[in-house]
Amino acid sequence: MQVLSINDLHGNLEAPTGSNGSVRVALDGGVVVAGGAAYLAHHIAALRSENPNTIVVSAGDLIGASPLVSAILHDEPTIEVMNQIGLDINSVGNHEFDEGFTELKRMQNGGCHPVDGCQGSTNFAGANFKFLSANVFTDAAAQQTLFPAYDIREFEGIKVAFIGMTLEGTPTIVNPSGIQGLSFKDEADTVNALIPTLNAQGVKAVVVVLHEGGMQAAEGLYDECKGMSGAIVDIVNRFDKEVDLVVTGHTHQAYNCVLNGIRVTSGSSYGRIVTDVDLVLNTGTNDVTSVTARNVIVTRETADVPVDTMVKGYVAKAAPLRDKVVGNTPVELLRPARVPTADNSGESVLGNVIADAMLAITQAPEKGGAVIALMNPGGIRADIGAGEITYGEIFAVQPFANNVATLTLTGDQIKRVLEQQFPPINANPSIMQVSQGFSYTFSLSAPAGSKVNAASLTLNGQPIVMTQSYRVSMNNFMASGGDNYSVFTEGKDLLIGPIDVDALEVYTRANNPLTVPALGRIKVVP
């Protein structure tokens, strides 16, 4: 049988551009342009024609953090395109929860959006494929999962189980309000507990489709496995030996590995790679005798005509809003570096602009009375090129439709939440972007809990007083404790404001052409 897999499509129906639209194929930086739903459809159809025993799976983040063409219609276009392509299974990823699990269930079951109605089509029918979530429980004691834990398919009389899961750490990286009442359990423990149940049904062949992953060392190319690290290594090392294949995602990496004797694959992101896995099944033992895999680049020679027509229709619907000019910038606006260093505090020009926009829209007393705004770097998803700024560009920067929230924090709480930017050992810092007038210094080498210099915290040149109260704005994801910023949940007098992308649009229009903010709000010392 053949398993064709993708992961982390994130609603990229149009061919992605820049580094998001290519695959590195040589150590000298050589790349192949790749991706686009119409090309993905062609490659899947061609590979499917090679074997009648084929199933197509996605390892999560099929939707969420999507480009405007899909997101503006609540990702209905992506569901409908994947129905056309013939996806069979999608494991729930963390971004599937971006609009909450009730909206995610609508993606499966269909029906119109409760606020905006049906926009993608007259009557949105939902996904023809199955969402799976073995480790996401609505009632853990009763073993009730949000979606089915697994799906059993039969190939020439042999049953094959597909277990679908998201990462256990999902609650720390999604809006808590969207997953209220859900619990997320350990990935390996969940799989191992299901094996006896599957064996009792005569299932010996087991495929795990998991939205969690790892990464290769820098010298590893898209179809290799060099120096693997990350969460997936420990998870696979703890899997029951009944597991025959693990399809992974989340890290947006491409690799083709054997870990703990188990084939483990990942197909990059944005539809740039289809992983083609061949499993040989033994009709005597009903088990897998061998597994081979290859990562196939989704090149752009041939487009699937029906899918191309669908995508162009959605693009036409979104184009007037996407192309609306909202401002102008004399220079490129770059998002934050993912990992701060001794020479780079993690501050960025684009991060400063966003924080300033959040502050501007919540500064008035009746709007929140904010004096500081903070922005999580993970919520800044794209850069903005020099020249005209379109709504489509700012939407790509902030695609989550988070609200700007304002709450009261003491100086001590501000200091403590800044310390939460530096997680325990083996995890990278995540430096929040800060608004104009707020400044501080940190040291990467200082002990945990003391990396931020309390004496350096200033607001408009005046020291932050630990016992004094300040109105602080951030997005509602952060306000709810997202990204492990739990101190925000101690804040008082919460006021929910406008959508973050709307705040950025208002600010960009009001400051046109944009006066580019200088760096230096955050300083790093040895």
Side-chain angles (χ1 to χ4, degrees):
M1 61 166 290
Q2 180 178 237
V3 177
L4 303 178
S5 66
I6 62 171
N7 54 274
D8 298 276
L9 181 68
H10 288 290
N12 276 263
L13 302 182
E14 294 183 276
T17 59
S19 60
N20 290 337
S22 63
V23 175
R24 188 175 68 119
V25 296
L27 292 178
D28 64 3
V31 299
V32 171
V33 174
Y39 302 105
L40 176 65
H42 168 76
H43 280 270
I44 287 177
L47 290 166
R48 197 199 318 257
S49 69
E50 297 175 0
N51 191 333
N53 297 323
T54 295
I55 185 168
V56 183
V57 305
S58 161
D61 281 6
L62 187 72
I63 57 175
S66 304
L68 184 144
V69 66
S70 183
I72 200 69
L73 303 176
H74 298 287
D75 276 322
E76 291 176 19
T78 296
I79 300 298
E80 293 178 334
V81 166
M82 296 315 294
N83 285 344
Q84 176 69 27
I85 288 175
L87 184 65
D88 293 294
I89 287 169
N90 178 56
S91 292
V92 174
N94 53 288
H95 278 289
E96 264 88 1
F97 292 103
D98 281 352
E99 293 192 49
F101 75 83
T102 300
E103 172 67 359
L104 177 55
K105 293 182 83 169
R106 185 178 77 87
M107 293 291 99
Q108 176 74 90
N109 301 322
C112 294
H113 190 272
V115 175
D116 297 328
C118 277
Q119 300 177 14
S121 60
T122 306
N123 182 26
F124 178 60
N128 295 339
F129 51 90
K130 290 187 176 182
F131 286 90
L132 301 180
S133 62
N135 64 329
V136 183
F137 291 89
T138 55
D139 185 339
Q143 293 294 292
Q144 294 294 318
T145 54
L146 179 65
F147 293 104
Y150 56 85
D151 190 36
I152 297 175
R153 300 293 177 105
E154 196 165 304
F155 300 89
E156 297 184 21
I158 300 176
K159 295 177 179 179
V160 181
F162 295 83
I163 301 173
M165 294 189 294
T166 187
L167 67 157
E168 183 186 10
T170 294
T172 67
I173 54 175
V174 303
N175 194 325
S177 64
I179 57 169
Q180 193 168 3
L182 301 181
S183 57
F184 294 75
K185 301 301 183 182
D186 181 89
E187 303 93 341
D189 291 347
T190 298
V191 167
N192 294 344
L194 286 171
I195 295 300
T197 302
L198 295 171
N199 287 166
Q201 298 176 67
V203 177
K204 299 291 288 181
V206 177
V207 176
V208 174
V209 186
L210 168 61
H211 190 72
E212 179 58 291
M215 58 199 70
Q216 295 191 68
E219 64 270 19
L221 297 177
Y222 72 97
D223 198 31
E224 296 179 336
C225 183
K226 295 186 177 180
M228 279 294 295
S229 62
I232 196 64
V233 177
D234 172 67
I235 293 169
V236 173
N237 283 340
R238 293 189 292 123
F239 273 159
D240 189 292
K241 292 297 185 181
E242 287 280 11
V243 175
D244 299 293
L245 168 66
V246 184
V247 177
T248 72
H250 186 55
T251 57
H252 292 204
Q253 302 296 306
Y255 46 81
N256 182 4
C257 296
V258 175
L259 304 175
N260 191 28
I262 302 171
R263 177 69 59 176
V264 181
T265 67
S266 180
S268 187
S269 59
Y270 308 137
R272 290 176 286 174
I273 285 176
V274 176
T275 305
D276 177 13
V277 186
D278 289 317
L279 299 93
V280 177
L281 304 176
N282 187 306
T283 55
T285 62
N286 291 334
D287 207 348
V288 175
T289 61
S290 68
V291 183
T292 56
R294 62 187 177 118
N295 278 335
V296 179
I297 298 175
V298 177
T299 53
R300 296 179 184 171
E301 295 91 357
T302 308
D304 179 273
V305 174
V307 170
D308 191 43
T309 301
M310 289 179 73
V311 171
K312 286 176 178 173
Y314 294 125
V315 170
K317 266 187 182 179
L321 177 60
R322 180 198 63 201
D323 296 337
K324 182 174 63 176
V325 177
V326 299
N328 194 291
T329 173
V331 299
E332 186 179 21
L333 305 177
L334 299 177
R335 67 191 125 167
R338 298 301 292 174
V339 183
T341 65
D343 301 317
N344 178 0
S345 70
E347 180 186 354
S348 75
V349 173
L350 182 54
N352 286 352
V353 171
I354 292 170
D356 289 349
M358 295 168 72
L359 179 63
I361 210 160
T362 57
Q363 237 171 352
E366 69 275 14
K367 300 293 186 181
V371 295
I372 297 169
L374 304 170
M375 177 64 193
N376 61 317
I380 305 174
R381 306 297 286 196
D383 303 322
I384 293 178
E388 288 187 341
I389 302 172
T390 65
Y391 183 81
E393 284 184 290
I394 64 171
F395 189 94
V397 170
Q398 293 187 280
F400 300 113
N402 286 321
N403 292 88
V404 182
T406 307
L407 46 80
T408 300
L409 296 173
T410 65
D412 176 68
Q413 288 169 325
I414 293 172
K415 200 268 185 185
R416 287 194 291 119
V417 80
L418 292 175
E419 293 289 356
Q420 290 186 314
Q421 300 174 115
F422 307 95
I425 192 167
N426 294 330
N428 291 325
S430 181
I431 304 300
M432 288 183 281
Q433 309 297 286
V434 306
S435 57
Q436 185 176 17
F438 182 61
S439 180
Y440 72 94
T441 300
F442 71 86
S443 169
L444 289 171
S445 63
S450 301
K451 293 185 181 295
V452 175
N453 181 350
S456 72
L457 270 69
T458 61
L459 178 61
N460 299 322
Q462 299 300 310
I464 293 286
V465 180
M466 293 297 107
T467 56
Q468 187 171 319
S469 293
Y470 302 86
R471 294 289 283 169
V472 183
S473 291
M474 71 288 297
N475 59 51
N476 61 313
F477 164 72
M478 299 165 69
S480 301
D483 275 350
N484 279 327
Y485 297 131
S486 62
V487 173
F488 284 133
T489 65
E490 301 174 15
K492 301 184 184 304
D493 302 321
L494 174 67
L495 178 66
I496 298 295
I499 299 295
D500 52 7
V501 72
D502 293 343
L504 185 55
E505 179 185 6
V506 169
Y507 183 82
T508 306
R509 287 184 180 279
N511 295 274
N512 184 19
L514 184 71
T515 300
V516 180
L519 299 178
R521 301 174 185 182
I522 307 172
K523 297 180 176 67
V524 59
V525 297

